[in-house]
Amino acid sequence: MANLPPPFAFSKASSSSNDPKPSPVEQLVLDICDPELRENALHQLSKKREIFHELAPLLWHSVGTTAALLQEIISVYPFLSPPTLTVAQSNRVCNALALCQCVAAHPETKMPFLRAQMPLYLYAFLKTSSKERPFEYLRLTSLGVIGALVKVEDTEVIKFLLETEIIPLCLRTMESGSELSKTVATFIIQKILLDNEGLRYMCVCVDRFFALSRVLGNMVTSLAEAPSPRLLKHIVRCYLRLTDNIRC
């Protein structure tokens, strides 16, 4: 078993006068575990996450932080059906998801994040169908987490995703989502197809292959009315990869 760094056992109760004062980033991570300070901490960290290069390991290894992020995610489940999620609720959970995306993208924390099956908690958001902004933002941010996982080629990531509902969920988004959500969902499918396991999975079963072909074809048709070069690029790359399989 690989040696993991010890958890960051930050705690106001256990700190002594001799302990060094937490940095601003460490203090914000501490604040995530305080229900009264959490909302501001999530907002500040998600807004500045690009400049905190080691934020992901700090989040993942800090005691209680991942549990607090998960609590934020599942707290909005009751508002998904019937769709009563507010803009404020959506913004708050999307800030938590943005931090999850940070963890999913970092090479040190990506696999622990995956093995903890954290992506599965996002699938409830991808199953929503409301066109209202809070739900669209929630779906887009959730797709961003999955996109971060597949951005760098890794067969273990692809194998994990193939055992889940991600393919039908992405196809659903590609059919009915906003342009940006369609683009991210198509990117995820493209990255899955680029892996040999993913290509085999999509082509070994006729139903899967034709489901993907139908969705891609419908998307090309719809682009005649609402052109999107970025989306078309990912669609073409999906078609191109499918030609690499002799069964196609």
Side-chain angles (χ1 to χ4, degrees):
M1 179 180 294
N3 292 325
L4 295 176
F8 293 91
F10 297 133
S11 170
K12 295 178 181 179
S14 62
S15 63
S16 69
S17 59
N18 295 326
D19 290 335
K21 183 179 180 180
S23 70
V25 178
E26 292 170 346
Q27 186 58 56
L28 286 171
V29 171
L30 269 176
D31 292 347
I32 291 177
C33 293
D34 186 330
E36 295 184 359
L37 303 176
R38 183 179 300 165
E39 184 172 6
N40 177 66
L42 293 173
H43 175 69
Q44 294 298 327
L45 287 171
S46 65
K47 184 171 63 173
K48 301 175 182 178
R49 67 187 185 278
E50 299 297 335
I51 63 175
F52 299 151
H53 300 299
E54 293 306 309
L55 177 59
L58 185 61
L59 287 168
W60 186 255
H61 297 299
S62 296
V63 175
T65 304
T66 302
L69 293 176
L70 186 56
Q71 186 179 45
E72 287 294 309
I73 292 170
I74 64 177
S75 69
V76 299
Y77 281 3
F79 305 99
L80 301 181
S81 182
T84 57
L85 189 71
T86 66
V87 171
Q89 288 173 317
S90 177
N91 288 341
R92 177 164 172 163
V93 72
C94 283
N95 285 335
L97 290 172
L99 297 184
C100 289
Q101 180 175 341
C102 176
V103 174
H106 195 283
E108 180 182 328
T109 54
K110 177 173 73 172
M111 294 316 298
F113 179 85
L114 192 72
R115 290 165 186 155
Q117 302 195 358
M118 292 290 288
L120 301 185
Y121 292 97
L122 313 185
Y123 288 4
F125 303 147
L126 299 179
K127 293 177 181 179
T128 61
S129 57
S130 173
K131 301 292 186 180
E132 296 298 320
R133 179 177 173 273
F135 289 88
E136 179 57 35
Y137 188 30
L138 194 58
R139 286 191 293 270
L140 177 60
T141 313
S142 299
L143 287 168
V145 179
I146 308 301
L149 283 171
V150 301
K151 188 173 183 179
V152 177
E153 294 182 13
D154 191 318
T155 297
E156 187 172 349
V157 172
I158 301 303
K159 286 181 177 179
F160 172 87
L161 293 176
L162 292 178
E163 294 176 356
T164 72
E165 303 172 83
I166 194 60
I167 297 289
L169 291 175
C170 281
L171 294 181
R172 177 177 177 171
T173 302
M174 289 160 65
E175 285 190 297
S176 60
S178 67
E179 178 188 331
L180 195 50
S181 290
K182 287 180 178 180
T183 302
V184 180
T186 309
F187 169 77
I188 293 169
I189 294 295
Q190 172 196 325
K191 298 299 286 187
I192 289 174
L193 289 173
L194 285 174
D195 185 271
N196 288 333
E197 284 291 324
L199 180 63
R200 187 196 66 80
Y201 178 89
M202 290 304 301
C203 295
V204 73
C205 175
V206 172
D207 289 342
R208 292 177 196 152
F209 174 75
F210 280 110
L212 175 58
S213 299
R214 179 183 59 80
V215 171
L216 291 174
N218 290 342
M219 293 174 73
V220 171
T221 301
S222 66
L223 286 177
E225 299 178 0
S228 171
R230 180 171 52 179
L231 178 55
L232 180 60
K233 176 186 70 175
H234 293 303
I235 294 172
V236 170
R237 287 177 176 174
C238 287
Y239 275 128
L240 183 62
R241 177 56 174 162
L242 287 173
T243 64
D244 289 336
N245 188 282
I246 59 175
R247 293 176 59 91
C248 299

